[in-house]
Amino acid sequence: MTQFENPVLPGSHPDPSVCRAGSDYYVVTSTFEYFPGLPVYHSRDLVHWRPLGHVLDRPSQLPLHGVRASGGLYAPTIRHHGGTFYVVCTLVDGKAQSGNFVVTATDPAGKWSEPHWLPEADGFDPSLFFDDTGRAWWTATREVPGGTPGRTEVWLREFDPERLELIGEEHVLWTGALHDAVWLEAPHLYKVDGRYVLLCAEGGTDFEHSVVVATADEVTGPYRGSPLNPVLTHRHLGRDHPIAATGHADLVSTPEGEWFAVLLATRPYGGYYYNLGRETFLVPVTWEAGGPVFSPGTGRVEARYDVPGLPAHPWPQAGPTDDFDAPVLGPEWMFLRTPDEAFFSLTERPGHLRLAVRPESITDLVTPSLVVRRQQHQDFHASCEVEFEAAGPSEWAGLVLLQNNDHHVRLLLGAGREVVLVRRAGGREELLATTRLPEGVVRLCFEATGQEIRALAAGATEDWRPLGEPFDGRMLSTQAAGGFTGVHIGLYATGPGGTWADFGSFTYRSLDG
């Protein structure tokens, strides 16, 4: 392989942060209202990434009960220093706990510590910087007191890595590159050739997103914005460009002195709609006059680059079908919010995922009987095999395409072997199609070709039959539904309770190309 393809982490992997420990690289990304939180990915060549697990995988670590859609975990930063890994992050709009926290581990695969909350740390998007002077620093973003909405400033305080607390005097470092620009955020500090480099996002996380930089001779400033700002953006390329909303970058260097950035960007399709959410891209970086040059020669995030000068290290890849024969769910699966009780089992019927039928619904801000994984391709096939005997007309089990509680599509089996296709947009529900299937195993499927999505259903030995007409998937995009997440595909059961649904398999595969 002489080139790699972007994104390196497809699907909803926003706000990436990266660090290196020896010859190993680790990335974490935001997960918002999903549990477990903050996936950790591992690479040895910056191109091939394998999931290690999650930073917050215990209910005691992550109180997400009642958190709104696109609330929860925002913009983590991962750093390695002195044999310890640190992740700092913000929990937004939590009901039991909110604000900034730090967790630590000696092994990024876990076990990570319980969160250490820092009530004295204002704002959001925290980051850590370990200086070669032996001191550590915390940076974050907050709205300017009394300022116009969206006007922010980056501030800094010293961080005690032993006691996990802020100490010393606070310093305001920067208020942004462009006059009246909003949402200066995602601040990361580095020291390059003896100077301090402050890298930030600016302009909001959608089409106007950008990367900006300022430098200083002392860590506390004063910081001067680069005359080249923004050092990376795609907003001047128009909404028809295949990659948009570039920003929220973090830098890493290889042992050989090559530099790269991980950053978020989107891939709109069917117009300016990006159902996959904000994804993680990898971009080469060089340095000129003390500042970073992103994607030298083009100044744009490209779909392909030459591979880094590192030994190629691909990882074994899982197949497209999960037969649920492992003792635990794979790392791709997540829940909505923090579960209070065990609503699924892989052991009660080996080779099946058993979901308890419970009253909780995906239309509410609760933890329903739902397991989901990310949509990662514009053209995809997602299907499941389910055995379910509804005890009454209000019990359903099957497949969902989920953007949030008010924007999703449900393909469910119910009483009388009825299969329904229901679209919920803006909180309003519409029955798109219905059919009946024979007794026994039922197969349910969504297939997407761009923004045209078809629902299909079949008995165990039948050919697929379409349900109704293809529907427009753009109602699942951020532009229609709001928020910060991409589409997730899930297995779901709901009803008064007391019964269960058995899923014998789930298949997700790309139909691209």
Side-chain angles (χ1 to χ4, degrees):
M1 182 176 70
T2 59
Q3 289 194 316
F4 70 90
E5 292 191 3
N6 268 319
V8 292
L9 293 177
S12 185
H13 289 98
D15 310 328
S17 177
V18 63
C19 75
R20 177 171 65 88
S23 58
D24 295 287
Y25 302 85
Y26 301 95
V27 158
V28 295
T29 67
S30 296
T31 45
F32 300 95
E33 71 267 35
Y34 289 94
F35 180 94
L38 308 184
V40 183
Y41 291 93
H42 174 217
S43 179
R44 291 195 174 129
D45 60 10
L46 290 171
V47 173
H48 301 95
W49 296 87
R50 64 167 179 166
L52 282 185
H54 292 77
V55 174
L56 305 174
D57 59 4
R58 305 186 300 277
S60 61
Q61 294 174 296
L62 187 53
L64 290 176
H65 306 92
V67 167
R68 62 176 173 84
S70 288
L73 295 175
Y74 281 37
T77 296
I78 185 169
R79 294 293 183 256
H80 178 253
H81 180 75
T84 298
F85 290 87
Y86 300 79
V87 167
V88 296
C89 191
T90 311
L91 176 56
V92 175
D93 290 342
K95 302 299 183 180
Q97 181 76 56
S98 286
N100 292 300
F101 63 88
V102 55
V103 291
T104 61
T106 54
D107 182 345
K111 180 179 178 180
W112 289 82
S113 71
E114 292 292 309
H116 182 88
W117 297 92
L118 286 87
E120 69 275 25
D122 291 343
F124 54 95
D125 288 13
S127 183
L128 289 179
F129 168 61
F130 292 90
D131 202 344
D132 56 12
T133 63
R135 301 172 77 181
W137 302 89
W138 173 288
T139 58
T141 295
R142 65 188 175 202
E143 290 199 69
V144 176
T148 57
R151 289 288 292 164
T152 55
E153 62 187 13
V154 171
W155 61 272
L156 170 143
R157 277 183 69 184
E158 191 168 356
F159 176 74
D160 185 333
E162 299 296 328
R163 298 165 61 187
L164 303 180
E165 62 185 28
L166 304 186
I167 58 176
E169 183 182 356
E170 179 183 288
H171 304 267
V172 174
L173 301 187
W174 203 31
T175 57
L178 301 185
H179 183 66
D180 287 338
V182 295
W183 299 121
L184 178 74
E185 57 191 7
H188 295 303
L189 273 174
Y190 317 89
K191 196 173 189 179
V192 181
D193 294 332
R195 299 202 77 208
Y196 294 92
V197 178
L198 176 63
L199 193 73
C200 300
E202 190 174 80
T205 194
D206 195 2
F207 182 72
E208 294 81 13
H209 211 197
S210 69
V211 180
V212 293
V213 65
T215 58
D217 294 322
E218 302 292 338
V219 69
T220 56
Y223 283 82
R224 178 179 179 273
S226 169
L228 303 178
N229 280 327
V231 293
L232 179 68
T233 188
H234 277 206
R235 60 194 178 208
H236 61 298
L237 300 178
R239 283 175 167 79
D240 290 334
H241 194 75
I243 298 173
T246 56
H248 205 114
D250 195 8
L251 301 177
V252 68
S253 62
T254 71
E256 291 74 25
E258 286 187 285
W259 285 80
F260 292 88
V262 294
L263 54 89
L264 72 80
T266 62
R267 293 182 289 165
Y269 60 105
Y272 190 70
Y273 300 92
Y274 45 89
N275 297 38
L276 282 74
R278 298 167 300 152
E279 306 173 278
T280 293
F281 288 66
L282 180 71
V283 173
V285 173
T286 59
W287 293 85
E288 293 183 7
V293 178
F294 287 76
S295 192
T298 72
R300 300 186 302 267
V301 176
E302 304 292 350
R304 292 177 179 82
Y305 288 103
D306 291 340
V307 298
L310 296 168
H313 199 291
W315 304 101
Q317 296 296 307
T321 299
D322 190 337
D323 292 318
F324 301 117
D325 51 5
V328 295
L329 285 173
E332 70 274 19
W333 293 107
M334 297 179 292
F335 316 130
L336 261 179
R337 304 177 185 87
T338 307
D340 282 322
E341 58 182 321
F343 57 78
F344 75 94
S345 172
L346 293 165
T347 59
E348 290 181 10
R349 186 180 176 188
H352 292 75
L353 170 68
R354 174 164 288 184
L355 288 184
V357 175
R358 299 160 58 239
E360 287 80 3
S361 167
I362 58 174
T363 61
D364 300 319
L365 303 183
V366 294
T367 300
S369 291
L370 172 76
V371 296
V372 296
R373 54 150 297 160
R374 297 166 180 85
Q375 177 188 337
Q376 295 182 286
H377 303 86
Q378 296 175 9
D379 304 338
F380 70 88
H381 166 107
S383 62
C384 69
E385 294 182 347
V386 58
E387 294 178 69
F388 176 56
E389 294 297 333
S394 299
E395 293 196 347
W396 302 93
L399 197 61
V400 298
L401 295 177
L402 178 68
Q403 171 55 253
N404 58 38
N405 55 300
D406 280 334
H407 294 81
H408 56 257
V409 180
R410 309 192 298 268
L411 178 60
L412 304 178
L413 171 66
R417 313 301 295 170
E418 183 183 23
V419 175
V420 298
L421 177 65
V422 177
R423 175 171 58 195
R424 183 177 175 90
R428 299 179 61 182
E429 302 210 342
E430 179 183 3
L431 178 65
L432 298 183
T434 183
T435 190
R436 292 188 185 273
L437 293 178
E439 296 292 326
V441 174
V442 165
R443 295 182 294 144
L444 305 173
C445 176
F446 288 114
E447 283 194 344
T449 304
Q451 294 290 4
E452 182 178 277
I453 304 177
R454 296 188 303 154
L456 305 103
T461 60
E462 295 180 328
D463 293 333
W464 288 113
R465 66 176 77 167
L467 265 72
E469 298 297 319
F471 60 90
D472 190 339
R474 285 174 286 196
M475 53 81 61
L476 297 170
S477 70
T478 297
Q479 286 64 38
F484 298 120
T485 63
V487 172
H488 290 71
I489 305 164
L491 305 175
Y492 175 52
T494 188
T499 58
W500 60 84
D502 286 339
F503 292 86
S505 68
F506 175 86
T507 297
Y508 176 87
R509 66 175 184 267
S510 167
L511 299 178
D512 295 348

